[in-house]
Amino acid sequence: KNSYKYDSYGATNITSPDEVNIYLATEDPRAYNEFMALKPSGWNVYADITLHEINAFRPVKGNRASWAARNTKGRAGLIALGSLLVAMEANMFVLTTKSNWSTLMNHLRTQIIDPRCQNCTQMIDLRPGIF
């Protein structure tokens, strides 16, 4: 069984898998930068592409997906689908299930990926919601 130690952004010490692939579902540049600085070498981290491509189109306050979609002429939706495809390749997830997007990722992980790979994924929930 794997053991974990993690800080506020989920950087962990994993003692087991030969290859670690992590989907980092964050749109927060600070969280991304701190996670990348603390991750062990050899980890493959797949960051949510919205971190780079959509941030410029988001309002300063709140999560206004409809505003971002309108201002990107629908590109935000395409980027979200790309993030979904990347997530399907990971075996480790750092999520905040208080977020709708992270809850969706967790349900896909537990209902689609795990049944196909004999429960090969794991998740660290930094801000648990109800699911």
Side-chain angles (χ1 to χ4, degrees):
K1 189 127 185 162
N2 296 332
S3 64
Y4 303 97
K5 293 180 183 172
Y6 53 93
D7 63 14
S8 62
Y9 291 113
T12 64
N13 177 14
I14 297 178
T15 59
S16 173
D18 296 332
E19 182 178 353
V20 176
N21 297 304
I22 297 174
Y23 173 72
L24 184 60
T26 185
E27 298 172 20
D28 181 348
R30 193 182 74 192
Y32 172 79
N33 291 334
E34 188 164 329
F35 186 88
M36 295 304 286
L38 295 172
K39 77 174 182 69
S41 63
W43 280 18
N44 300 311
V45 177
Y46 302 94
D48 192 318
I49 194 73
T50 58
L51 182 68
H52 305 290
E53 293 216 16
I54 303 300
N55 252 5
F57 298 98
R58 289 191 180 261
V60 176
K61 226 174 156 184
N63 180 7
R64 310 265 191 278
S66 61
W67 190 89
R70 192 171 39 255
N71 285 296
T72 61
K73 296 180 172 50
R75 182 160 172 77
L78 181 61
I79 297 299
L81 290 174
S83 294
L84 179 64
L85 290 172
V86 170
M88 293 300 147
E89 297 300 320
N91 57 12
M92 297 292 299
F93 291 75
V94 177
L95 301 171
T96 58
T97 58
K98 196 155 190 167
S99 147
N100 290 334
W101 184 250
S102 286
T103 298
L104 173 65
M105 292 288 115
N106 195 47
H107 287 303
L108 289 170
R109 177 186 75 82
T110 59
Q111 302 302 312
I112 304 295
I113 299 171
D114 277 351
R116 293 183 172 140
C117 68
Q118 290 74 47
N119 296 319
C120 65
T121 71
Q122 295 178 42
M123 185 265 291
I124 296 169
D125 194 347
L126 300 180
R127 194 166 151 219
I130 299 170
F131 62 92

